Amino acid sequence: MHLLPDSRSLGCAVVGAHVHVRRRVNPNRSLAKSRFPRVVPASDDVLAAYGDYQAERSEVVGHELE
């Protein structure tokens, strides 16, 4: 996942927030993804939901450490 507006400094040529979808070998040899890698843009709604998830997750993890 590259959620920054520009991740070129990280070595990614794709501009804008996005997710790389890459096929991996599954133990059961099923094909869950396309044979070809692709990039899926991440909308502002997805970024906001992910931010909310991270904030909630950090609260849960923080309470477990106490």
Side-chain angles (χ1 to χ4, degrees), residues 1-4 7 12-20 39-42 47:
M1 288 191 304
H2 292 129
L3 303 181
L4 299 172
S7 295
C12 181
V14 180
V15 177
H18 60 279
V19 177
H20 293 269
V39 174
V40 178
L47 296 176

Side-chain angles (χ1 to χ4, degrees), residues 1-61:
M1 288 191 304
H2 292 129
L3 303 181
L4 299 172
D6 188 348
S7 295
R8 289 181 287 183
S9 64
L10 301 173
C12 181
V14 180
V15 177
H18 60 279
V19 177
H20 293 269
V21 179
R22 295 186 180 125
R23 184 173 160 192
R24 292 184 291 222
V25 177
N26 294 321
N28 63 3
R29 298 185 184 164
S30 65
L31 296 177
K33 298 180 179 97
S34 169
R35 294 178 189 257
F36 306 102
R38 64 189 182 279
V39 174
V40 178
S43 69
D44 290 340
D45 289 338
V46 169
L47 296 176
Y50 187 72
D52 292 344
Y53 162 77
Q54 287 292 346
E56 181 178 332
R57 179 75 181 148
S58 67
E59 287 178 19
V60 171
V61 172

